[in-house]
Amino acid sequence: MIKKDYYEILGISRDASTDEIKKAYRKLALKYHPDKNKEKQAEEKFKEAAEAYDILSNPEKKKRYDKFGHSSSQGDSGGMNMEDIFTNFGDIFGDAFSFSGFSNYKKKNIKGSDLRIKVKLTLNEILKGIEKKMKVQRMKMAKGVELIFCKNCNGTGQITRVTNTILGIMHTTTTCSICGGLGKKSERLPKGVNNQGLKKKEELVSITIPPGVTEGIQLKISGKGNDAPFGNGIPGDLIVVIEEIPHEKLKREGKNLHYDLYISFPDAVLGAYEEVPTGDGKARLKIDAGTQSGKTLRLKGKGLPFLEGYGRGDLLIHIIVWTPKNLNEEQKKMFQQIKNEENFIPQKSEKSFFEKVREMFSS
């Protein structure tokens, strides 16, 4: 599905000021707020506007979006839910929703707890991206749970106390200690169900992992965490933590890959062709005659993709000339005969090691 342009959603120009962005979002948020607008698509439009505001109101996110479009937020999995919107942008509404409808909506949308799992990926999976199906133990609303309104708070989830003071009448509101703010409590719980009406169940969850993720990055799958108590709200999120399985031959450094290629002394002198591993196969590499140990060859675009969705890193091949330790008499005699010839006398390199490294990473 093609996502709408964020500027188009808010109805503003690409050079709109911060105040104009905020004003446009507030106007749409008030128009499509679920407490006021009961149309079928109102909640989706409300979320859509919040997502656009989240990107365009943040200078760094806006800069990336202007340059790369929707691919700039590829790693942000799952979008925004109502709880996120009220938590992050609630102050923008001001007093517009100070009436009970807004408080009831927030109360209705109590969020369940988040779950966290680790997913191990091979280099090839990171290179291409992958969809994995994982078994997740979630707390789900159990069948057969009977609920009744909490008499302590009359189903409101809150206790209000009125106190006469020398300054006048004071109203103090606290969460009901009997129902925990839910406004209802359980009358009967089936076996194996906790005191929030939840029971652990195994579920197969599909997780889409974009190419180019790194060790430790976290992806959020909205709504795949634990259910809210007694199912009275929205589920929490599933947080997926990425772990990389080290490759047996290639080493990763950011978006670049490194490989140590050992070649024989004759191949270094005469030149040769070698096969080297890449993240998704092999590549044939030409070794020029007279190649020195320590030389680094670069295969552009053979590294890992950028998570932002543009370009790939490189594969850097470090040449190491293998020097044999044990020679027979005939081999020793051959080297004795040629070691003093001009071609075999070491010559100082035109560039130092550090100059080569600086040049390699600046190219």
Side-chain angles (χ1 to χ4, degrees):
M1 180 179 178
I2 299 175
K3 298 182 72 171
K4 289 184 182 178
D5 179 75
Y6 289 142
Y7 291 98
E8 182 183 338
I9 290 172
L10 297 184
I12 56 177
S13 63
R14 300 189 79 84
D15 57 354
S17 66
T18 302
D19 287 341
E20 288 173 328
I21 294 172
K22 184 175 182 179
K23 185 178 179 181
Y25 167 59
R26 188 175 190 274
K27 181 180 178 181
L28 288 175
L30 296 178
K31 179 179 179 180
Y32 293 113
H33 191 287
D35 277 347
K36 292 186 66 177
N37 193 324
K38 301 303 180 182
E39 293 179 10
K40 187 176 181 181
Q41 300 299 322
E43 185 171 323
E44 284 307 312
K45 289 183 178 293
F46 183 76
K47 292 179 182 179
E48 190 177 63
E51 182 180 340
Y53 178 73
D54 177 53
I55 298 297
L56 300 183
S57 64
N58 183 301
E60 184 61 31
K61 291 181 180 179
K62 182 178 184 296
K63 183 179 178 181
R64 289 171 57 191
Y65 176 74
D66 288 343
K67 189 173 183 181
F68 305 114
H70 289 297
S71 63
S72 65
S73 57
Q74 190 174 355
D76 301 331
S77 177
M80 303 187 75
N81 55 47
M82 301 299 287
E83 185 75 10
D84 293 332
I85 296 169
F86 288 124
T87 299
N88 297 331
F89 312 134
D91 58 322
I92 291 177
F93 302 123
D95 296 328
F97 293 100
S98 59
F99 53 85
S100 61
F102 176 52
S103 61
N104 286 339
Y105 188 86
K106 290 182 69 179
K107 174 176 165 297
K108 177 179 65 178
N109 280 276
I110 294 173
K111 189 176 181 181
S113 58
D114 292 341
L115 287 175
R116 185 181 297 267
I117 63 171
K118 293 181 179 180
V119 174
K120 294 185 177 182
L121 301 176
T122 65
L123 187 66
N124 186 262
E125 290 172 334
I126 292 173
L127 176 66
K128 297 180 179 179
I130 191 172
E131 181 174 331
K132 280 187 172 285
K133 296 188 181 295
M134 306 287 294
K135 291 181 179 179
V136 177
Q137 299 286 335
R138 298 177 59 198
M139 298 299 292
K140 300 279 291 179
M141 178 63 183
K143 295 180 179 180
V145 177
E146 296 180 6
L147 301 178
I148 59 173
F149 280 103
C150 177
K151 295 180 180 179
N152 189 53
C153 63
N154 292 319
T156 65
Q158 298 178 330
I159 301 294
T160 301
R161 291 183 173 83
V162 180
T163 308
N164 291 315
T165 70
I166 58 174
L167 299 176
I169 299 176
M170 295 186 65
H171 294 259
T172 304
T173 302
T174 58
T175 300
C176 177
S177 60
I178 303 299
C179 67
L182 297 175
K184 57 182 73 173
K185 60 181 183 176
S186 60
E187 186 173 44
R188 185 177 68 85
L189 291 175
K191 186 178 180 180
V193 178
N194 67 14
N195 58 7
Q196 294 185 335
L198 305 178
K199 186 175 183 179
K200 185 175 288 188
K201 294 183 179 179
E202 185 174 85
E203 183 175 327
L204 195 63
V205 177
S206 180
I207 303 170
T208 301
I209 300 172
V213 293
T214 57
E215 173 84 22
I217 196 172
Q218 298 183 10
L219 305 176
K220 183 178 76 172
I221 313 298
S222 294
K224 291 299 181 180
N226 293 322
D227 280 356
F230 300 117
N232 188 38
I234 58 177
D237 301 322
L238 177 64
I239 308 300
V240 181
V241 183
I242 300 299
E243 286 189 355
E244 293 185 27
I245 300 173
H247 193 276
E248 59 179 5
K249 295 179 180 179
L250 299 171
K251 292 184 179 179
R252 178 178 184 176
E253 182 184 36
K255 303 305 174 189
N256 292 331
L257 296 175
H258 294 263
Y259 177 67
D260 290 339
L261 175 61
Y262 287 82
I263 64 174
S264 68
F265 183 72
D267 283 344
V269 173
L270 302 174
Y273 285 92
E274 294 283 349
E275 265 194 352
V276 296
T278 63
D280 53 359
K282 294 181 179 180
R284 196 160 188 256
L285 183 70
K286 181 183 178 182
I287 307 297
D288 291 332
T291 293
Q292 302 297 311
S293 187
K295 182 174 183 179
T296 298
L297 304 177
R298 181 195 295 264
L299 294 182
K300 288 186 175 292
K302 288 295 184 180
L304 295 168
F306 288 80
L307 186 59
E308 294 82 3
Y310 64 97
R312 283 177 61 170
D314 303 326
L315 172 60
L316 303 175
I317 300 156
H318 307 283
I319 304 296
I320 302 171
V321 178
W322 174 255
T323 304
K325 295 181 179 180
N326 301 308
L327 299 176
N328 58 36
E329 290 302 320
E330 185 179 350
Q331 291 167 337
K332 288 180 181 179
K333 184 177 179 181
M334 178 188 69
F335 281 107
Q336 287 289 348
Q337 290 174 346
I338 63 175
K339 73 174 186 176
N340 292 323
E341 293 185 10
E342 185 177 351
N343 282 349
F344 286 87
I345 298 175
Q347 302 293 319
K348 182 179 179 181
S349 174
E350 295 179 0
K351 296 179 181 178
S352 69
F353 170 76
F354 295 104
E355 287 173 329
K356 290 179 179 179
V357 171
R358 190 185 307 116
E359 184 182 79
M360 178 180 66
F361 285 101
S362 63
S363 62

